[in-house]
Amino acid sequence: MEQLFFSLQKLLTAGWEVGISLFALLIPWTPLIAWVAFWLLAVNWEKLYPVLARGAVIGVILIGLMTALVWGLIAPPPDGVHYLFGLRPSNFVGKGIYVTMLMTIMALCGSVQLSGAFGSLFPEDVPDEHHGHDHDHGHSAHGHSDHDHSNHGHGDEGHAH
């Protein structure tokens, strides 16, 4: 029985060490995982895509360009170049590649969500009963109506027509 407890303790210790190693492996990837999770799960692409199609994509591209420029000014690489896929692009080109990769991941997350791979993540909008278009929101709805003032007994003397 003692051998069983010793083996169980070794198994739990090894499992703990594997968990710690996986945690240490995933920590540097946390910002990218958060980026993917945001664009995949928090953004309703059914509403965003038509806005982008009407021209907002130009704004997104300009924001990406400004991000690469500011990022290149704030945090240049120590050697003056980046090391990407065996290439050595300069500071601003390397930052442009990084931002382009992030924008591509964003677009791929939108494509995956629009394909229906996750089903419906967002509930469909249900029209509110009180804000429907079946109510009369004209002038008469606010206590004013187009009625004949002579029926009230004061004729036209109290009103400027």
Side-chain angles (χ1 to χ4, degrees):
M1 191 68 160
E2 187 176 312
Q3 182 69 22
L4 178 67
F5 286 128
F6 180 71
S7 297
L8 185 60
Q9 181 185 11
K10 283 181 70 174
L11 179 67
L12 290 175
T13 303
W16 179 257
E17 289 176 5
V18 167
I20 295 294
S21 297
L22 284 174
F23 183 72
L25 182 70
L26 291 177
I27 283 293
W29 294 96
T30 303
L32 184 62
I33 292 168
W35 179 262
V36 170
F38 175 78
W39 290 108
L40 195 59
L41 303 173
V43 174
N44 187 350
W45 281 91
E46 290 179 6
K47 291 183 179 182
L48 180 62
Y49 183 75
V51 174
L52 291 173
R54 286 193 307 261
V57 71
I58 300 299
V60 172
I61 290 170
L62 290 174
I63 288 171
L65 178 65
M66 291 306 298
T67 301
L69 291 175
V70 170
W71 188 14
L73 288 172
I74 292 174
D79 298 342
V81 295
H82 293 280
Y83 299 98
L84 297 168
F85 309 116
L87 303 173
R88 295 180 50 171
S90 66
N91 178 26
F92 292 105
V93 174
K95 299 294 194 224
I97 292 170
Y98 284 138
V99 170
T100 302
M101 287 192 300
L102 288 173
M103 295 290 183
T104 303
I105 290 170
M106 176 185 72
L108 287 173
C109 289
S111 296
V112 168
Q113 191 186 101
L114 287 173
S115 73
F118 291 110
S120 180
L121 293 175
F122 299 95
E124 294 191 24
D125 292 334
V126 178
D128 191 12
E129 292 179 19
H130 301 291
H131 292 96
H133 294 286
D134 56 345
H135 299 293
D136 183 18
H137 289 288
H139 194 67
S140 63
H142 300 287
H144 304 285
S145 63
D146 297 331
H147 61 276
D148 187 16
H149 292 287
S150 62
N151 293 343
H152 294 284
H154 52 76
D156 287 336
E157 57 261 357
H159 299 281
H161 288 282

